[in-house]
Amino acid sequence: MHIGVIGTGYVGLVTGACLAEFGLDVTCVDIDREKIELLKKGIIPIFEPGLEDLVKKNLKEGRLHFSEDVASAIKNNLVVFITVGTPPKSDGSCDMRYVESVAEMIRENADGYKVIVNKSTVPVGTGRWMKEFVNRNVDVVSNPEFLREGAAITDFMYPERVIIGAESEQAIAIMKDIYIPLYLKETPFVITSIETAELIKYACNAYLALKITFINEIANLCEYVGANVDDVARAMGLDSRIGSKFLHPGPGYGGSCFPKDIKALISKSKEVGYDFLLLKTTVEVNQRQREIAVKKIIDALSGEVKGRVIGILGLSFKPNTDDIRESPALYIAGRLIEEGAKVKAFDPAAMANAKSVLPQIRYEKNAYGVAEKADAIVLAVEWSQFRRLDLVRISRIMKERIFVDLKNVYDKKQLQSLGFKYVCWGR
Ligand code: UDX
Ligand code: UDX
């Protein structure tokens, strides 16, 4: 079967490479000519563990192709995946211009029956709109992605479930055929309506963000009542109705999905006349958590950061990615600079992206460069490189020994025994 994938961001690229790995013939297209030229040489413009090898292997074996000819990709393929960006507008609603431009291309070029698959996160109702707008012999399917950056290939190859929102038996049969390698592994398939599949994606992301926000508030409360949030989270997670994942306190969630998907769901709800209070509060609490993190750092330096040197470990929105979209670490760095601090930082993958946003930061080669002569060090992203620092060496090269652990990675007593003033969440 021949598949077209329109949009080669991290979702489009992972989808194309993995479907080719399933043995399908896949053509990935993008309007960004430069990106396509790089991809044709097997050069991947994003940091996603394992993706470069998978792309190169499938390019070599002739199942994966790259092109900027979107029209032909639509004409020549029975199934066309849409994986273009759906970024937020300033009012929080979903910017559909890229999806709409692809829909126009489909209307112009879809000769013969096709299955159009929305994998990008799109507002509820998009599939039905697209079928009417395209007005050709096509079935539209919602097949949302649940890929985490840094684990995207594993999440595609070993999904906990596949969601198919479709109206025709033919489209469902074609989608099952595409995912047959997962079917054989008995991966659960949820076959439902288009609107339901579209809402499932938002519901999952919103719930995960809510869960993180909940443990962040519990962590804050622990500081008032002298409880230990790590033990609370562990005990909560042992209840199978709650589960242990996504109960790690920190400076709030970031990334290219949670912030925009929640705002899009709030906006869509409002548009149809529903006031989604819980999500509006989640957005508010998440923003407050970043400010609480900034205040923690300022308080650790006895309320004055003007002229002080603060080192930050990690700038990406989470480990194993170079993505800085809505990164709490970068937000905090910017706020400390606003407060007059001299900020230096190191990140294993996101420095180039961070430099384009915050050139005022002094970028170091490693964690020890960050610690050198710093008044305080802030662990902002739990990269594995930061989990086993040589703390004795750090304590010797810092000017003052203030350690603000925004991801609760280290042991409080161990740091205090080394003479650090140690600050963390809720313990
Ligand atoms: C995107 C959406 O942002 C996300 O909401 C959804 O869940 C998955 O798809 P991502 O892959 O990160 O996530 O998108 P992005 O990084 O913005 O890349 C989209 C790609 O599509 C870009 O390379 C862009 O050049 C390309 N594109 C955009 C097209 O090929 N055609 C267009 O008309 C518009
Ligand atoms: C998320 C969803 O997990 C994925 O299913 C969806 O397809 C896309 O959005 P991603 O945004 O890549 O994936 O990152 P994720 O690992 O979910 O983390 C999101 C944010 O929450 C990060 O800023 C992370 O630091 C934060 N987080 C995560 C916490 O603060 N605590 C946790 O326990 C888990």
Side-chain angles (χ1 to χ4, degrees), residues 1-4 19-20 22-27 62-65 76-81 113-115 117 170-181:
M1 192 188 310
H2 286 72
I3 310 276
L19 291 178
F22 281 176
L24 295 161
D25 184 277
V26 180
T27 301
R63 285 189 302 274
L64 183 60
H65 321 279
N76 304 338
N77 292 295
L78 168 65
V79 181
V80 177
F81 279 79
Y113 175 68
K114 295 205 177 293
V115 176
V117 185
Q170 186 177 8
I172 291 169
I174 288 170
M175 293 307 288
K176 281 183 175 174
D177 191 21
I178 286 174
Y179 285 112
I180 196 86

Side-chain angles (χ1 to χ4, degrees), residues 10-11 48 121 144-151 155 161 201 204-205 208-209 211-213 215-216 244-259 261 286 290 316-319 321 323 325-328 380-382 407:
Y10 92 90
V11 174
E48 184 58 51
T121 304
E145 49 87 12
F146 298 93
L147 308 179
R148 289 165 299 158
E149 291 193 20
D155 288 348
R161 74 296 198 208
K201 170 66 190 176
C204 292
N205 268 10
L208 289 168
K211 193 174 179 188
I212 293 164
T213 307
I215 200 64
N216 284 342
S244 60
K245 295 273 174 70
F246 279 52
L247 281 177
H248 308 292
Y253 59 81
S256 61
C257 292
F258 284 179
D261 290 351
N286 191 55
R290 294 167 171 226
S316 55
F317 84 87
K318 67 167 196 174
T321 182
D323 199 337
R325 288 180 275 192
E326 298 282 333
S327 161
V381 186
E382 68 283 23
K407 301 299 277 192

Side-chain angles (χ1 to χ4, degrees), residues 6-12 29-32 35 83-86 98 101-102 119-121 145 260 325:
I6 304 181
T8 56
Y10 92 90
V11 174
V29 292
D30 199 302
I31 50 170
D32 183 336
K35 193 184 264 194
T83 52
V84 294
T86 51
Y98 301 123
S101 75
V102 173
K119 189 161 271 295
S120 289
T121 304
E145 49 87 12
K260 83 172 170 70
R325 288 180 275 192

Side-chain angles (χ1 to χ4, degrees), residues 199-256:
L199 184 55
I200 287 169
K201 170 66 190 176
Y202 281 104
C204 292
N205 268 10
Y207 181 75
L208 289 168
L210 191 61
K211 193 174 179 188
I212 293 164
T213 307
F214 179 80
I215 200 64
N216 284 342
E217 291 236 75
I218 291 289
N220 297 341
L221 180 60
C222 282
E223 293 175 14
Y224 288 87
V225 299
N228 181 309
V229 69
D230 292 352
D231 292 348
V232 171
R234 198 164 74 82
M236 284 175 67
L238 290 168
D239 180 327
S240 59
R241 296 168 302 174
I242 299 174
S244 60
K245 295 273 174 70
F246 279 52
L247 281 177
H248 308 292
Y253 59 81
S256 61

Side-chain angles (χ1 to χ4, degrees), residues 262-368:
I262 288 188
K263 287 178 186 151
L265 188 53
I266 292 169
S267 168
K268 185 69 188 176
S269 303
K270 190 167 166 233
E271 189 189 304
V272 296
Y274 183 72
D275 186 9
F276 209 136
L277 275 179
L278 194 55
L279 289 186
K280 285 158 67 172
T281 311
T282 302
V283 172
E284 215 179 303
V285 173
N286 191 55
Q287 177 54 35
R288 186 182 69 173
Q289 193 69 0
R290 294 167 171 226
E291 281 304 325
I292 291 174
V294 172
K295 187 174 180 313
K296 256 182 199 298
I297 297 163
I298 295 174
D299 291 351
L301 283 146
S302 319
E304 185 48 76
V305 293
K306 220 183 271 324
R308 309 292 290 277
V309 177
I310 300 177
I312 298 185
L313 299 179
L315 293 169
S316 55
F317 84 87
K318 67 167 196 174
N320 303 320
T321 182
D322 64 349
D323 199 337
I324 57 168
R325 288 180 275 192
E326 298 282 333
S327 161
L330 211 55
Y331 173 88
I332 290 164
R335 289 279 294 104
L336 292 171
I337 290 170
E338 265 172 31
E339 299 287 334
K342 291 193 187 103
V343 174
K344 46 184 187 167
F346 170 70
D347 183 287
M351 296 239 271
N353 290 335
K355 273 177 194 155
S356 62
V357 174
L358 278 181
Q360 311 91 310
I361 292 178
R362 197 177 127 181
Y363 292 92
E364 298 288 348
K365 289 190 181 53
N366 56 43
Y368 302 99

